[in-house]
Amino acid sequence: MHNLTVTTALGGTEPRIDMHGPITLSEEPGYALASVAARKGGERATILAIRRLIGPAAPKPGHIAGDKVTAFWIGPDQWMLEAPYDSHETLFEQAAAEVKGKASVTEQTGGWCRFDLRGVGLASVLERLCPINMITFQPGGVTRSSIDHLGCFIICRALEHISILGPRSSAASLHHGLLTAMRSAY
Amino acid sequence: MATDQGKTSNMGGLAIMAELTGKTIPEVGTTIFRPPYTPTAIGAFAGRDRGTDFRPTRKTPSHKWAEDQGAVFVEVGMWLRAQWFPQAGETHWRQSVDREVLATRKSVGICDVTTLGKIDVQGADAATFLNKIYCNAFGKLAIGKTRYGLMLREDGIAMDDGTAARLADDHFVVTTTTANAVSVFRHMEFARQCLWPDFDVQLISTTEAWAQYAVAGPNARNLLQKIVDSEFDLSNEAFPFMACANVTVCGGLRARLFRISFSGELAFEIAVPTRYGDAMIRRLMQAGEEFEAVAYGTEALGVMRIEKGHAAGNELNGTTSALNLGMERMVSKKKDSIGSTLSERSGLNTDDALKLIGLRPVDVKNPVPAGSHLITKGDPVDATHDQGYVTSACYSPNLGHSIALAYLKSGDSRKGEILRLVSPLTGFDHEVEVVSAHFIDPEGERLRA
Amino acid sequence: MIINHPILGPRDSAEFTYMGDAALLDRPDWQAKDALAQFIDYGYLRDNPAGPHQELWYHEQGDRSFLVVTRDTTTHEISSVKLANDVARSRGRST
């Protein structure tokens, strides 16, 4: 085994946690990501492979499904898989073995940073950040939108738990934007 | 429109119109005003989008390491890149850059190239798709090989360049320049969805998923052999120029290795998952201690590519074709690619078309500043007699004088000619000699070593 | 402006990048006898209608779909939104 140390998207060795008002903002480096895009004619096989990987049926547009391994829709015939890093560091290999050439799989772990917002009253924070309808945005919902010019995935995991996945290189800018919105809201 | 949005200049205009038409000013009336109707502080528009909040900042995973080394950073798009790494006693940037260049060409240098755009191209039609995107051919590129690709806009003008590495029959990794990563991805999505909707090809950006480092110089292989796990043979026979492979490093970490060279030296680029980027650069520098390895920044990178005669953004400047770049033979006539038909327009193919050449000053003490224009000796200095212009310039520490890349009318047949270099803006007016754009190792022996 | 995305429903136009006239889908055949003339028309000539206009919008901050949006240039009213992929196929771009 190699002994290279990892750094988080914010550049630290430990994930950063910030609390303000009723909201906790945490950096979440502990997840592996892999994208899965169906090949021509492989659309059905890809949907079935995703079900084998996550348990429930492959999610429809705007949704996330699964428990330990989850998938969310990112584009036509395209999904992102997410799973705990420690147990699924090579999630892309597991996915590739399951789709058997019917889909293109790409490792995406390093491409994204993840920040989780937990607490009561997340709508007041999100409404300051992006044009999504927080009344209709319910647990299991996923949308991609722009936060401070950054294309982000916004995932509603529970009423009081939202994840934001943004481009890793801009983690500090995104973190600053989220914290500013928290301070503005509360 | 200035700060008053035309509200004061407009009144003068209305008064003149009244006089010309024999009407009173109220009779002439006003134009339709546009907001703001009353003076408004600029800060009210900016809101909190000020300073570094104006737009996001992009940092590579080894940013903190570069800060630790005292790097001076430069903005490239939204990225912050290390421009040079000043050492104790260096008081001028040229001292740092010259040292980085000389040390790299003498032994080995390491440069963070994470910011290059990376696009994963997969699917049964991946090679067919790249044949449409690049003007040169990719169908027969062998697995485990990398090829330089030139991408044209549909109007025949060069759009971007980079490499495509074939990892499998149906899997390529395309690199773009840092500045054009977003626009190239957009262009490829347009081609995929709008032009060839039934190609089996899938695209996804992996720019941020990998931390990538160039290791360049005669000791590049010796250094990397200490990093890449021993079961991978890096010898010239097993891993020649333009090879690529999935490897492991430091005892089992997955990585990608490309034998490509921007500097003109024996060089590799090694990519590891982003979270290991910081650890990787520290490990590379540590492994390089016995070779006196240096970290080099974008300035040294620029000097070395000019010395080698490699085109970059200054040459692919949105007005230049494959012919101007001296790459016209790359535009395959045997296949359809974006831009191939319009690159045959007569206007782009005149007998005196600009050609990329090198310049050296006749008096070696003189600089050859970018933006200067070239005039045939004895001709007047005016636009009609303009023969071309300097695109990239630097001081070459290897040659001991300034050098430049320039576009010159019929430039490829004018080697040896002495021209007048003129820059009315800065006052430069002296003689330069037209030479090959390949100042260093024109036969390419170093990068194949 | 709100664009009614065929898959995702109403989306803020700020998520999109405008990519010009949908005539860009009709790329000429490079082997046609008059290919050069056709490509010059394709590259440089655009209609400029006062009224309904078919144009490309790229959902760059969304699902990366190219859309063909029919927008009235005099009122900004959007009468139709389709996936460019489907439009391209219906125009015979499958070969």
Side-chain angles (χ1 to χ4, degrees), chain B residues 22-301:
Chain B
K23 293 179 180 171
T24 65
I25 294 174
E27 280 171 343
V28 170
T30 60
T31 56
I32 297 169
F33 287 116
R34 63 179 182 189
Y37 301 109
T38 55
T40 306
I42 292 289
F45 295 113
R48 59 187 182 90
D49 292 341
R50 356 172 227 147
T52 53
D53 286 357
F54 181 65
R55 59 179 190 181
T57 303
R58 301 177 78 182
K59 293 177 184 171
T60 73
S62 35
H63 185 84
K64 185 168 179 306
W65 168 84
E67 278 181 337
D68 293 348
Q69 313 307 308
V72 172
F73 291 94
V74 58
E75 284 187 45
V76 183
M78 291 190 285
W79 289 102
L80 288 179
R81 297 191 71 181
Q83 198 171 9
W84 63 86
F85 296 87
Q87 301 285 293
E90 290 173 350
T91 54
H92 190 279
W93 64 269
R94 261 275 309 283
Q95 294 173 301
S96 310
V97 174
D98 289 356
R99 173 185 49 76
E100 290 169 18
V101 169
L102 290 170
T104 300
R105 293 221 189 274
K106 181 170 172 240
S107 181
V108 61
I110 295 165
C111 184
D112 184 354
V113 293
T114 300
T115 62
L116 288 179
K118 307 171 200 76
I119 301 169
D120 208 47
V121 181
Q122 296 193 50
D125 296 320
T128 314
F129 181 74
L130 291 185
N131 265 339
K132 299 286 190 190
I133 295 293
Y134 287 117
C135 69
N136 50 322
F138 277 83
K140 289 184 183 145
L141 181 64
I143 295 166
K145 291 287 181 189
T146 306
R147 183 171 289 170
Y148 174 82
L150 180 66
M151 208 174 273
L152 303 179
R153 307 191 312 219
E154 194 67 273
D155 63 2
I157 299 293
M159 177 181 185
D160 198 53
D161 66 348
T163 58
R166 192 167 205 167
L167 297 179
D169 193 44
D170 55 0
H171 188 184
F172 292 80
V173 174
V174 163
T175 65
T176 75
T177 60
T178 299
N180 289 332
V182 172
S183 55
V184 167
F185 189 82
R186 186 186 294 155
H187 174 72
M188 287 171 71
E189 276 291 5
F190 167 74
R192 185 180 79 94
Q193 296 181 41
C194 299
L195 299 182
W196 295 285
D198 285 337
F199 277 7
D200 178 31
V201 60
Q202 294 79 39
L203 307 173
I204 195 154
S205 168
T206 55
T207 301
E208 311 234 351
W210 298 88
Q212 196 154 317
Y213 301 99
V215 181
N219 276 317
R221 181 183 291 115
N222 295 333
L223 192 161
L224 273 173
Q225 273 169 341
K226 296 169 68 181
I227 295 289
V228 176
D229 292 336
S230 56
E231 62 263 41
F232 301 98
D233 183 354
L234 300 188
S235 69
N236 204 30
E237 296 69 37
F239 201 73
F241 182 54
M242 299 308 268
C244 68
N246 286 311
V247 298
T248 59
V249 296
C250 302
L253 177 66
R254 64 196 176 282
R256 285 173 179 168
L257 187 65
F258 309 89
R259 190 166 159 198
I260 50 182
S261 176
F262 198 43
S263 58
E265 295 298 324
L266 165 67
F268 301 80
E269 288 187 14
I270 182 97
V272 294
T274 315
R275 61 179 61 202
Y276 295 105
D278 177 83
M280 192 71 241
I281 187 108
R282 292 175 198 273
R283 200 63 69 90
L284 284 167
M285 292 304 296
Q286 198 181 10
E289 273 171 18
E290 64 172 293
F291 309 110
E292 296 179 335
V294 292
Y296 66 94
T298 57
E299 235 18 83
L301 180 89

Side-chain angles (χ1 to χ4, degrees), chain B residues 154-155 182 185-186 189-190 193-198 333-338 341-342 345, chain C residues 19 24-25 27 30 36 39-40 42 44 56 58 60 64-66 84-85 88-89 93-94:
Chain B
E154 194 67 273
D155 63 2
V182 172
F185 189 82
R186 186 186 294 155
E189 276 291 5
F190 167 74
Q193 296 181 41
C194 299
L195 299 182
W196 295 285
D198 285 337
K333 309 282 187 209
K334 293 181 193 149
K335 62 162 181 135
D336 176 27
S337 67
I338 292 176
T341 301
L342 286 184
R345 281 184 290 160
Chain C
M19 297 295 288
L24 285 169
L25 264 60
R27 188 172 181 271
W30 71 293
L36 185 60
F39 267 95
I40 288 170
Y42 171 74
Y44 294 103
L56 290 169
Y58 174 42
E60 190 153 38
R64 308 285 167 117
S65 286
F66 272 79
N85 208 290
R89 277 198 198 95
R93 289 221 59 89
S94 294

Side-chain angles (χ1 to χ4, degrees), chain A residues 10-158:
Chain A
L10 287 175
T13 47
E14 294 296 324
R16 180 165 165 168
I17 294 172
D18 295 89
M19 283 178 277
H20 181 82
I23 314 290
T24 301
L25 170 66
S26 58
E27 187 183 9
E28 301 282 347
Y31 294 89
L33 298 169
S35 62
V36 177
R39 295 204 168 174
K40 296 286 182 205
E43 293 84 356
R44 176 96 191 120
T46 301
I47 286 171
L48 294 174
I50 288 175
R51 178 150 71 184
R52 287 194 298 276
L53 284 158
I54 67 171
K60 302 262 186 255
H63 290 88
I64 184 168
D67 180 24
K68 189 165 189 189
V69 181
T70 59
F72 56 92
W73 187 93
I74 57 174
D77 302 316
Q78 214 179 345
W79 289 266
M80 188 78 85
L81 296 170
E82 190 185 40
Y85 187 83
D86 289 343
S87 52
H88 295 75
E89 180 177 344
T90 54
L91 178 62
F92 68 101
E93 285 178 351
Q94 193 191 342
E98 204 63 71
V99 302
K100 297 183 179 69
K102 296 293 184 185
S104 296
V105 176
T106 304
E107 179 175 11
Q108 286 284 318
T109 305
W112 300 86
C113 59
R114 173 175 154 182
F115 292 103
D116 279 13
L117 290 159
R118 288 186 178 82
V120 182
L122 292 178
S124 301
V125 179
L126 266 290
E127 279 166 356
R128 282 166 164 77
L129 292 166
C130 55
I132 56 175
N133 184 341
M134 290 306 294
I135 295 166
T136 56
F137 194 56
Q138 292 295 317
V142 180
T143 191
R144 191 173 190 172
S145 194
S146 176
I147 294 179
D148 283 1
H149 312 286
L150 297 167
C152 295
F153 292 108
I154 301 144
I155 304 170
C156 186
R157 298 188 191 269

